[in-house]
Amino acid sequence: MTPDKLKTIIAQKEGTEIEFKESKDSLARKVYESICAFLNRRGGHVVLGAKDNGEIVGVNPTKVQEQMDQLAKDMNNPQLFKPTYYLTYEPMDIDGKKIIYFYVPESNQAHSYKGIYYDRNQDGDFELRSTEQIANLFIRKSKMKTEDRVYPMLGMKDLDEEAFDELRRGIRIENSQHPWLNLSNEEIIRSAELLAVDPETGKEGLTLAAILLFGNSHAITTALPAYRIDLLCRVNNTELYDDRELLSCNLLKAYPIMMDFIKKHLPEQPYIEGIQRFSLRDTILREVVLNMIIHREYSSAYPTTFTIYRDTIVTENWNIPYVYGHIDLQTMRPHRKNPKIAKVFSQMGIVEELGSGMRKMFKYTPLYANGKEPVIEEQDVYRIEIPYVPTLLPTGEEESGKKSTLKSTLKSTLKGTRKDIVEIIINSPYITIPQIADQLGLNARGIAKHIKNLQEEGIIKRIGPDKGGHWEVVE
């Protein structure tokens, strides 16, 4: 959130989705009733340091951190909030004064504060006292999947053409006769049931699933201001990081970026099963990534994280638990939490039958990690730990020396586009031809022709299949 965007929100005054509290020297306790009401209704923006009419009075600068700490502590206290909920708080300067801003998403659970359920309307927060009122809240929540939430203000103009290109590329590899290949973008959206009518307004709009899969930055920010996927490599620098990718793009663009990050930082280990040769790393971590993005509960601001440590990969994402505690093949209860999102990925042959991903994790991780098994814990935060053998990683000196030698050879033997292509392949061996074309601003057909010539001349070679393989420069 930027100060200019926040000023636009403040100018709209208090309402169903906006709340102001002064909180100058101490936290306004009434803010918890608003948080509870926003969670139970449609979400909303909260500004601490503003009067009811939107006038900025500011929070005492010496009290800002204290108030944010108190918010975090109280929101995690089951004696106050049931169920507890994670929020992120952002200090900002508006017109020379300190304020605290945070966004409360709509939850698909019913929340109470000090044993009382609150709801929201234009007049503010109100208590749900009658049995009927509380029952209606639970009924409304139980029927709603977060991915089915409708945004009537968003339409086809708010979707990203490149995401549809990514979908068609994946489908074409899996099934060149797939009917979606002959459909327009809007026809794909309708076929995937990603347009729906908002029951409150009666207007048609994109569902949250459509926005997450295909949305541009404006659509994603509108629907989920706090949405992030944080990729971290902490092999050497465990306090900060060696490398980081912070993603806020749609899922169809995020998925290949996540897989490239994995291939960049984790050791490869080919494996032969019967007559099939495949990568243990890619097979295991693909299922982990899909679990992160398909089974995440998107109503929470809790960030999704993927962290590579020296001998372990750890992922965390917000979750609505179905089985509390440790999960293994005996205790797992497969449940597709975002079936519309899963359906689109399944068209590309990436998502298979329900539960198959976890079975693959438990089957192949011991082969990748010298007998060690994955650890999966299902709580409000869904956590997966995948061990691996760090000695399989090339040292920085070996990798740097290899690239330096190859680049020296390039300068003396290759020129123009051919040289550019090989340099890209050296740095990103898992890159696709369309991605090379995008980087160089050239036609994919022309890049494919150069690639073919380079292969015929023995300069590069393809390792593995078109889907899941990689390029290698011949030394």
Side-chain angles (χ1 to χ4, degrees):
M1 178 63 68
T2 65
D4 287 340
K5 286 183 179 179
L6 185 55
K7 284 182 178 180
T8 302
I9 292 171
I10 293 172
Q12 298 173 34
K13 307 301 182 184
E14 281 192 336
T16 307
E17 297 177 19
I18 301 174
E19 177 67 29
F20 305 135
K21 298 292 182 188
E22 289 195 27
S23 293
K24 187 170 184 178
D25 293 306
S26 61
L27 186 65
R29 307 301 295 184
K30 285 279 187 180
V31 73
Y32 293 121
E33 297 175 7
S34 298
I35 292 172
C36 185
F38 282 149
L39 289 168
N40 287 337
R41 181 48 59 178
R42 296 181 64 87
H45 305 270
V46 178
V47 178
L48 303 183
K51 291 185 177 181
D52 290 347
N53 62 4
E55 178 187 350
I56 301 297
V57 295
V59 176
N60 185 334
T62 65
K63 300 292 184 179
V64 170
Q65 190 59 50
E66 178 182 314
Q67 292 194 30
M68 290 195 298
D69 291 345
Q70 189 65 51
L71 280 163
K73 178 182 176 181
D74 289 345
M75 289 301 299
N76 198 41
N77 183 353
Q79 300 301 316
L80 296 177
F81 272 89
K82 289 187 178 180
T84 58
Y85 202 88
Y86 179 90
L87 294 171
T88 56
Y89 313 98
E90 188 175 1
M92 298 179 70
D93 288 310
I94 300 288
D95 298 332
K97 297 175 181 177
K98 289 283 185 184
I99 61 97
I100 298 171
Y101 163 80
F102 56 97
Y103 180 78
V104 182
E106 178 184 2
S107 174
N108 67 353
Q109 293 178 285
H111 293 262
S112 64
Y113 170 61
K114 290 186 174 180
I116 298 174
Y117 293 94
Y118 291 86
D119 208 341
R120 183 82 176 178
N121 63 17
Q122 287 290 344
D123 297 325
D125 314 312
F126 62 96
E127 298 180 11
L128 302 181
R129 289 293 188 181
S130 72
T131 302
E132 184 179 5
Q133 285 178 322
I134 296 171
N136 286 340
L137 171 63
F138 277 86
I139 290 169
R140 174 159 53 86
K141 293 295 182 180
S142 66
K143 286 184 176 180
M144 181 190 72
K145 280 189 177 293
T146 303
E147 68 168 4
D148 291 327
R149 191 184 306 160
V150 182
Y151 293 81
M153 76 292 289
L154 298 175
M156 295 301 299
K157 68 182 188 307
D158 299 297
L159 302 184
D160 184 351
E161 183 68 38
E162 290 183 4
F164 288 97
D165 293 342
E166 192 69 42
L167 173 66
R168 291 187 177 96
R169 275 197 291 269
I171 289 175
R172 195 172 287 112
I173 293 171
E174 177 66 18
N175 177 10
S176 62
Q177 304 301 314
H178 196 290
W180 279 13
L181 295 175
N182 298 316
L183 299 182
S184 67
N185 293 351
E186 183 169 348
E187 287 171 335
I188 289 175
I189 290 292
R190 291 191 180 278
S191 178
E193 301 177 283
L194 300 177
L195 273 171
V197 174
D198 180 14
E200 293 191 15
T201 65
K203 296 180 180 179
E204 186 178 65
L206 295 172
T207 63
L208 182 60
I211 295 163
L212 283 166
L213 286 162
F214 299 99
N216 59 26
S217 58
H218 164 73
I220 291 173
T221 301
T222 299
L224 289 176
Y227 161 74
R228 296 288 186 277
I229 300 173
D230 201 355
L231 311 177
L232 292 160
C233 179
R234 286 178 167 161
V235 172
N236 297 309
N237 189 338
T238 56
E239 294 297 320
L240 193 57
Y241 51 81
D242 305 318
D243 192 14
R244 184 184 192 186
E245 290 271 7
L246 188 59
L247 308 180
S248 57
C249 57
N250 60 62
L251 298 179
L252 282 165
K253 294 176 79 170
Y255 172 75
I257 295 173
M258 295 171 77
M259 292 306 298
D260 284 343
F261 190 86
I262 287 165
K263 292 165 183 174
K264 179 180 179 182
H265 293 293
L266 286 168
E268 169 67 294
Q269 188 172 340
Y271 181 71
I272 297 175
E273 189 172 67
I275 60 171
Q276 185 182 14
R277 183 181 187 273
F278 58 90
S279 163
L280 287 174
R281 176 198 62 195
D282 294 355
T283 299
I284 297 164
L285 275 302
R286 178 172 58 246
E287 301 304 333
V288 173
V289 166
L290 289 170
N291 183 285
M292 291 170 65
I293 63 180
I294 289 177
H295 298 301
R296 171 179 171 176
E297 173 47 50
Y298 286 96
S299 66
S300 172
Y302 191 92
T304 290
T305 59
F306 180 102
T307 308
I308 299 172
Y309 295 102
R310 185 169 295 277
D311 59 1
T312 313
I313 305 112
V314 177
T315 73
E316 291 186 342
N317 58 273
W318 197 256
N319 174 58
I320 296 178
Y322 287 88
V323 178
Y324 281 87
H326 181 75
I327 303 295
D328 54 31
L329 293 177
Q330 285 69 47
T331 60
M332 74 173 187
R333 299 290 184 272
H335 184 90
R336 192 155 284 169
K337 296 167 186 175
N338 294 295
K340 302 283 177 60
I341 293 174
K343 177 182 177 181
V344 170
F345 276 96
S346 70
Q347 306 307 307
M348 298 187 288
I350 297 173
V351 175
E352 299 175 9
E353 65 178 280
L354 192 60
S356 64
M358 190 169 292
R359 286 191 287 271
K360 285 183 180 179
M361 283 187 225
F362 279 97
K363 178 179 179 180
Y364 295 119
T365 298
L367 300 173
Y368 187 60
N370 281 348
K372 295 180 181 178
E373 292 194 341
V375 177
I376 302 176
E377 295 289 334
E378 182 166 20
Q379 303 287 347
D380 288 340
V381 174
Y382 193 97
R383 179 183 174 92
I384 298 177
E385 295 183 16
I386 301 291
Y388 71 94
V389 181
T391 54
L392 294 175
L393 280 168
T395 66
E397 290 182 1
E398 289 172 347
E399 188 68 16
S400 176
K402 178 182 176 183
K403 289 183 178 180
S404 177
T405 301
L406 287 171
K407 286 188 176 182
S408 297
T409 305
L410 285 174
K411 290 178 181 178
S412 61
T413 59
L414 296 173
K415 294 181 180 179
T417 302
R418 287 157 55 86
K419 177 182 174 182
D420 293 338
I421 290 171
V422 178
E423 283 188 332
I424 289 172
I425 286 173
I426 288 173
N427 293 307
S428 304
Y430 291 87
I431 197 166
T432 65
I433 289 175
Q435 288 170 339
I436 296 173
D438 288 343
Q439 282 196 30
L440 298 178
L442 298 173
N443 183 280
R445 185 175 296 177
I447 296 297
K449 186 175 180 181
H450 282 299
I451 291 280
K452 182 180 179 182
N453 290 338
L454 289 166
Q455 287 179 287
E456 290 175 350
E457 294 170 24
I459 296 172
I460 64 173
K461 62 181 178 179
R462 182 72 181 175
I463 306 298
D466 290 341
K467 182 181 179 181
H470 66 278
W471 303 102
E472 187 173 288
V473 178
V474 180
E475 296 184 64

